[in-house]
Each structure stands twice: as structure tokens, then as C-alpha cells.
Amino acid sequence: MGCCSSRSSDSPASRVTRWRSTGIVALRDDRLKEVPNEVLQVGNSLRTLDLTNNKLVEIPQEIGRLVNMQRLVLAGNLIENIPANIGYLRNLKILTLDRNRISILPEELGSLSNLQQLSVFQNSLLCLPKSVGDLRKMSLLNVSDNKLKELPESIGACSSLEEFQANGNAIEDVPSSIGNLVCLKFLSLNGNKIRQLPQNLLKDCTALQNLSLHDNPITMDQFQQVSYMQHLECSCTLGNLVLVIVHFVFRICCRWMDLKSLRHAEGRNSTSRLIQGS
């Protein structure tokens, strides 16, 4: 009787009932080769789907039926393609695709109007879809350790982006449109082939606090051409030279110069009053 009870409690039907009740399906480290059919049966009740560290090769088109899903985690699998139907997941806020074999993301990705975090770390991405610019609520984008050679101009339309990581790619040029990211606080482009930055990057990205450019061929002269260093913590490797510009050092220098000018002005005023008094 105990055995029968145990089997019944773990039956597909009982699991679907439990998942519908919680809204959470967590099947991490289960050696799954495909998404179980009962996961799709959860339907509109599903809020979080975590299939981390399995052996999934593909994601079924039916994933688009889970329209109320807010968090989809597919890290650590063997996935090569993301189906276009993912564009139906309009309520999705977090999409994690790290450590797979993805080379292309579908243009339908831009339909995820509520997406806040997208991480595609350690894949084989050759490019980003132009529709990435439609992700106006996205605050975090991580595309590090891929095969990107360029970034689309449309990325400048990601008006809520606060953190952008694109380390370990083959990026040569940073699009000028990145200056439109007025909410951007953290920009990390280590390990690329960047030789220069847009002239007004630091001036236009008014919220930028940290810019990291380690292991790029950008020269000191080219870096110094980028204006408006105030309030920025910036580090980059130039050959064997490590350049670190810290915002509080800049402020101290500015204050010292202002104080020196003030004292000089006060001295001139004092001299003027003495002359007038005599």
C-alpha cells in the first residue's frame, strides 16, 4: 500500500497539479533530454520554469503557450536554437540561456516587452538581433564569452539598460548609439578588439559609474580623447600599463583647482583694497 501511495504521489498528473498550485517547475540536474510534456500541461499557471543543468538539445515550439511565465532558466544545456514562439511570452521578465550552444537569437525576442534581464553568457552567438532595441524595460544584458564581432546600433534604444556585459568577444567597434543609454551604470567590454570608443560616450551616458576595458588594443591617446571623465570609475589595460581613473581622485583635483583659483581671486581683491585705501 505504501508503494502504491508513493507512485501515485509522483505520477505525472499529481506533478501537474502540484506545479499548477505553486506556479513553479524546478527540474534542475535531472539529465533531461527533452522538456517533459507535463510541464507544458501546467499552462497559464506557470510562472517560473527552471531546467538548469540538463541535456536539452531543443526547446519545443509549444513553449509559446506558457504565456504567463515570468522567469525562464535554461542554463547549462546543449540548446542550439531558441524557437520563434518565445516571442509569445509577453510576461517574461527574466530569461537565462547561459552555457549552451546558441549561435543566433530569433528576431521575435524583441516581442518580450516586459523582459528585464537577459543573460546569454558562454554561448556561440555570432550577432544580436536588431530587435534587441525593442527591449525597453531591460535593465541587464549579459552576452559575455560569445563570438560577437559587432553590436547592433539598435542597442541604443534599450532605454532602461543599467548593466551591459559583453566581455570575451571579438568586438571591434562600439556603436555611437550606446551614448543614448542614459540609465547605463556599468559597462564591461573586457577581452575584445576595441581600438576606440565613441567620442561622447562618457558625456552622454550621464549615469555611467564603471567602464571596464581590460585586454583591448585601445591606446592611451585614444582613450584620453574620450571626454567627460567626471564621476567615473574606469579601468583598462594598455599593454603592461594599467590605467585607473577613479572619480574621487578627479573630484579632489577639481576641488584643489577651484580652491587655488578662489585664493588667487581673494588675493587680488585684497591687493585692490589696499591700493584703494592708500
Side-chain angles (χ1 to χ4, degrees):
M1 188 176 205
C3 283
C4 292
S5 176
S6 176
R7 285 196 299 269
S8 177
S9 65
D10 196 36
S11 68
S14 64
R15 282 191 288 177
V16 170
T17 300
R18 182 172 69 251
W19 290 339
R20 283 176 176 169
S21 175
T22 63
I24 299 173
V25 175
L27 296 172
R28 300 169 63 101
D29 304 296
D30 270 12
R31 299 182 180 179
L32 297 173
K33 294 184 178 180
E34 60 184 19
V35 178
N37 186 56
E38 53 262 36
V39 170
L40 303 174
Q41 293 176 16
V42 179
N44 293 343
S45 299
L46 187 60
R47 298 294 186 273
T48 296
L49 175 57
D50 187 348
L51 297 170
T52 300
N53 294 337
N54 282 286
K55 297 183 179 181
L56 302 175
V57 176
E58 61 181 7
I59 302 301
Q61 291 284 344
E62 290 80 5
I63 195 80
R65 298 177 185 174
L66 306 175
V67 293
N68 289 325
M69 185 157 51
Q70 297 180 10
R71 185 169 179 263
L72 176 58
V73 184
L74 300 171
N77 282 281
L78 306 173
I79 300 167
E80 296 182 2
N81 298 297
I82 299 299
N85 281 10
I86 199 170
Y88 291 121
L89 306 180
R90 305 292 171 80
N91 291 301
L92 197 64
K93 295 181 178 180
I94 298 175
L95 177 57
T96 304
L97 302 170
D98 302 338
R99 294 179 287 110
N100 278 284
R101 300 177 179 179
I102 302 166
S103 58
I104 297 176
L105 293 172
E107 287 292 338
E108 288 77 6
L109 189 76
S111 297
L112 304 179
S113 54
N114 286 298
L115 195 66
Q116 297 175 7
Q117 298 182 16
L118 173 60
S119 186
V120 201
F121 167 78
Q122 209 172 92
N123 275 270
S124 300
L125 282 181
L126 299 172
C127 62
L128 290 177
K130 292 181 180 179
S131 63
V132 71
D134 295 330
L135 303 176
R136 305 296 168 82
K137 293 185 179 180
M138 182 171 62
S139 60
L140 183 150
L141 174 60
N142 187 348
V143 291
S144 295
D145 291 347
N146 280 281
K147 298 179 180 180
L148 299 174
K149 293 184 178 181
E150 60 182 5
L151 299 172
E153 283 286 341
S154 61
I155 199 167
C158 299
S159 53
S160 298
L161 194 61
E162 296 182 6
E163 180 175 345
F164 180 31
Q165 298 188 40
N167 305 307
N169 283 281
I171 299 168
E172 298 181 2
D173 296 310
V174 178
S176 58
S177 64
I178 207 166
N180 298 330
L181 303 178
V182 294
C183 293
L184 190 64
K185 297 179 180 179
F186 183 91
L187 176 58
S188 187
L189 299 169
N190 300 322
N192 281 283
K193 298 181 180 180
I194 299 169
R195 295 184 178 277
Q196 61 182 7
L197 295 172
Q199 291 293 311
N200 294 324
L201 171 64
L202 305 184
K203 179 180 179 181
D204 295 338
C205 294
T206 54
L208 192 61
Q209 297 174 4
N210 189 296
L211 170 62
S212 190
L213 292 165
H214 291 285
D215 301 321
N216 277 281
I218 187 170
T219 67
M220 177 73 78
D221 289 340
Q222 290 167 333
F223 186 79
Q224 288 178 336
Q225 290 176 9
V226 182
S227 60
Y228 205 74
M229 297 288 184
Q230 192 172 8
H231 311 312
L232 177 72
E233 179 177 333
C234 174
S235 63
C236 63
T237 302
L238 306 175
N240 294 323
L241 173 64
V242 177
L243 171 64
V244 179
I245 302 173
V246 186
H247 71 282
F248 63 81
V249 174
F250 183 87
R251 287 180 176 178
I252 290 173
C253 291
C254 289
R255 288 175 182 174
W256 180 81
M257 292 175 67
D258 290 341
L259 182 59
K260 186 176 180 180
S261 298
L262 179 61
R263 287 177 176 174
H264 183 66
E266 288 177 346
R268 283 188 300 177
N269 290 336
S270 297
T271 302
S272 177
R273 285 195 296 270
L274 286 174
I275 293 174
Q276 291 175 359
S278 60

